[in-house]
Each structure stands twice: as structure tokens, then as C-alpha cells.
Amino acid sequence: MNVAEIASKAKQSSYVLAALPGDVKDRALSAMACALRVHADEILEANKVDLSQAERAVLAGEMKPALYERLKLTREKLETVIKGVEDLISLPDPVGKIMAATELDENLTLYKISCPIGLIGVIFEARPDVAPQIAALCVKSGNAAVLKGGRETLHTNTAMLRVLKNALASVPGYPAEALQLIHTREESAQMLALDNLFDLIIPRGGNALIAYVKANTKIPVLGHADGVCHIYVARSADVQMAQNICVDAKTQYPAACNTMETLLIDEAWPEENKRKLLASLTAAGVELYGDERVRALAAVAGPVTDWHTEYGEKKLSVKFVPNVLAAIEHINTYGSHHTDAIITAEHDEAQIFMDLTDSAGVYHNASTRFADGYRYGFGAEVGISTGKTHARGPVGLAGLTIYKYKLYGNGQTVAEYVGPEAKPFTHKKIGGQK
């Protein structure tokens, strides 16, 4: 089948999914989790093939080490993915919720009801754990999906989707055609042209991918271009807390999009504290970049040439700023509106930072690495949105639903409510709404 035929089948399945009972969706999730566990060895072997090819690309200088790290799928990481699928079962069904209810007149009631988006196309790069996460979220939220992974994870994705599709096919009532996989860039381009079938495109990858998708489709796009995350260490910050948080935010998983890429330090913070913080980062293997003031306190690899830099590895830009407002201005100017944090003992200062910093996630005294759908309790995520559409930050179940209005009447016509003898609307909120 070509992409249009694949998408058409998935689109037809989306209409079935929109009315699928929650217990059927949960049985599908249970079947997916079980199948992933049973076929773990098969999936991990496929990942080894991808890793072997990637290793040769790294040695040839054709792939960055950070990208290679993202390709790795360990048994522990796979089990985390499976646990995320299982966690979705216990979450409430996001479809069919009454978001608002208004009595327009007696026996004329308007409801705002959550519903699936429909058919979603997801294009992702070099992340073998993305496919099962997105598939599970789409199952729970009642969406059909066509997935396009990077060529670096071809074997892993193919094995994963084969296992998942077989699992869905085993569940009575679940339309197995709702989950599809395509492979090539040509197919990806064809998908982006099908604005008559797809309701949303979610790209997960670097700037080049996001820019390409946005420039080549009429379909609404949800995603983030990059992750230039900051931590601002205020003058009242506890040095031990700053060390723990900053080392975690930079080194816990350097290739992640929620990793700290720029460290801002208040000029008035004691010099000894600055030395200790920078020393803890270099001791953790972090390469620092900064000006002469930074160089006076720690070894640096060179100056910062671009403050909007996502390293994706153990490299970090460092800058001294005069106060919280300067830190906020820097973040809003050079950041990616992803996730940014302040370390301070002053509550009012934290509130200023969190109110004025224009990012999807703003944290007080916590690592930026918490920006994750699983850690937020969403079960998993399809990605992180830095835009200002219906979903922002980690996009989980709620971000994969939209709404429709349902009006229940008893023979009323608009003519009754216009003209000199017009009946008045009551517009009474139902259910304690204001």
C-alpha cells in the first residue's frame, strides 16, 4: 500500500476509536504491555543491529556520539516503557468528559465534550522508545496514528510495531489498522501532503526536522524545535542545593531535550560558592564555556559563540548576570521556551521568575530533567510542545484530545429567539460553574 492508502485505512479506524469503550482501550494497552515483555529479546536484538550500524557511522564521523546514545534501548529502558504503558490503564479515560455545560433555555442544553483529535502523524528521530509511548497514548486517547521513525532505528521500530500491531489485532473490537508505520523520507513527504486525512502532525527531533515539517505541510503541527534550557542560581541560593540540581540537570542524561544547556549565576553570589558549583560540574565531566570572569573561577574550553546552543552532551554555557530580571531577559531572548529553573531561597523572587519567564515549564529549586510526561504522571508523552496551541509542555493524554459541542434540544428553532417577540436565553451554567 502507498501512504495515502495506509492513511485512509487509519482514518477510517479513527472513527471507530472515537466511540470505543474505555475498557476495550485498556485491554488493548494490557495486550501491548504483555507483548512487549514477551518479545523483549526480539526487540533488543533488532536494536543491536541499529547500534552496530550507528557505531560505524560514529567512527566515520557521520553521526554524533550524543545521537548514538539516544539510539540505545536497554532492557531497563524497555521495562520503563512497558511500565508507562501499564500506568496508562489506571488513568481515567480522557474521552467523553464534560468540560462545560450550559442551559441555553429550558430543555435546550449545550455540552462541551472531550473527544479524540482523529488521525495523528508522528515523525521522530533516533529514539526507539518513542514508538511504543506514542502508540500507547494514542490507544488510550482514542486516536489513530501513522508513525515515521528515523532510519537510524529502522530495525528497532519495525520489530516494535510488528509486536504492537499483533497485540492490538488480538483485542476484540479494536481496529488494528489504527496503528501504522512508514519508513522513508519519501513516504514522510507524502504524509505531510495529506491534509485531507491527517488532523495533526507531531515532529520529535532537531531544528532541521521541525523546520522541514512546518514548511512542507498544511496540517497543524505540534512540537518543539529545540531544548535550550537554563538554570538561574540566585544570590540567596544554597550552594549544596545548586550543586546537586545543576549536576543532575546537566549530566543525568545529557542528550535529553530537558537538559540544562546554559547556567546563569547571580553576580552577587559569593565567589567561593561560584567556584564550588563550577568545580562540581567539571568534576562530573562537564566542559564549560564562558568569558574571562568564568575563566577566573574554573577551566573553560572557550567563549560562548551562540547563547542559543543545544549541546546535547556534557558541555555547558556559563554566564554571570546582575539579577533575576536580567536572567529572565536572557532566557526569554535566547531560550527555546522549553523548561527553565531558578534556585533561590526567596519565595517572591521565585514567583517573579516563574511568572515572567515565557517557557512551557518553569521550576523553583528543581532540576529541569523533571520535564517529562511520565514524571508528570501522564503515563508517557508524545513530546514536549513549546508553542501556544491547545497543548503546551509534555503532551500526554489531555494534549491528544480536543472537544466538540453537543446541543440537546426539544424542537427549538432559532426563529424563536430573534425579533421583537424573541425568547430570552437563560445561559445558566450547569454543575456549579461560574
Side-chain angles (χ1 to χ4, degrees), residues 23 51 66 121 141 162 227 252 292 304 322 341 355 381 384 409 411 423 425 429 432:
D23 61 338
L51 288 176
S141 59
R162 181 170 58 250
Q252 199 272 331
E292 291 303 318
V304 177
D355 288 342
E381 67 180 42
I384 293 179
K423 291 180 63 178
F425 288 106
K429 299 299 180 183

Side-chain angles (χ1 to χ4, degrees), residues 143-273:
N143 290 289
V146 177
L147 311 184
K148 161 61 175 71
R151 66 182 186 277
E152 302 89 353
T153 51
L154 174 62
H155 297 87
T156 310
N157 290 335
T158 301
M160 196 92 72
L161 264 292
R162 181 170 58 250
V163 168
L164 294 177
K165 284 176 67 67
N166 288 338
L168 293 177
S170 71
V171 179
Y174 195 92
E177 298 290 343
L179 179 63
Q180 301 286 348
L181 177 69
I182 58 177
H183 300 283
T184 68
R185 290 183 178 180
E186 291 74 21
E187 290 176 320
S188 179
Q190 292 171 35
M191 178 169 71
L192 295 178
L194 296 173
D195 55 290
N196 61 319
L197 293 175
F198 285 90
D199 299 292
L200 182 69
I201 296 291
I202 303 177
R204 288 191 62 171
N207 291 343
L209 173 64
I210 308 296
Y212 170 80
V213 170
K214 289 185 175 180
N216 288 277
T217 189
K218 296 178 182 178
I219 307 167
V221 177
L222 184 151
H224 74 280
D226 45 19
V228 183
C229 301
H230 300 71
I231 290 182
Y232 167 58
V233 179
R235 64 189 62 185
S236 66
D238 175 78
V239 64
Q240 187 62 60
M241 179 187 292
Q243 287 176 299
N244 293 341
I245 291 175
C246 290
V247 169
D248 178 86
K250 182 69 250 186
T251 68
Q252 199 272 331
Y253 185 20
C257 62
N258 55 17
T259 292
M260 173 179 64
E261 301 291 12
T262 298
L263 171 62
L264 303 173
I265 304 176
D266 196 295
E267 293 172 349
W269 205 41
E271 295 293 293
E272 183 59 28
N273 289 353

Side-chain angles (χ1 to χ4, degrees), residues 14 68 70 98 105 130 225-227 332 339 346 354 357 374:
S14 74
Y68 176 82
R70 290 177 180 175
I98 299 175
D105 194 4
V130 167
D226 45 19
N332 288 344
T339 305
E346 301 293 333
M354 298 177 84
T357 301
Y374 178 75

Side-chain angles (χ1 to χ4, degrees), residues 7 25 32 63 77 85 96 106 153 165 169-170 182 188 240 245 286 289 307 314 369 390 410 422:
K25 293 187 286 188
M32 290 168 65
M63 179 184 290
K77 185 181 288 187
V85 174
E106 185 178 358
T153 51
K165 284 176 67 67
S170 71
I182 58 177
S188 179
Q240 187 62 60
I245 291 175
V286 179
Y289 291 81
W307 287 106
K314 287 188 177 182
R369 288 283 290 123
H390 77 289
N410 189 31

Side-chain angles (χ1 to χ4, degrees), residues 80-116:
T80 298
V81 170
I82 295 170
K83 182 64 165 59
V85 174
E86 292 174 330
D87 287 346
L88 286 174
I89 297 172
S90 63
L91 295 179
D93 191 339
V95 176
K97 288 185 174 181
I98 299 175
M99 304 170 70
T102 306
E103 178 196 89
L104 305 187
D105 194 4
E106 185 178 358
N107 294 322
L108 186 63
T109 309
L110 180 68
Y111 291 92
K112 183 180 181 181
I113 307 292
S114 62
C115 62

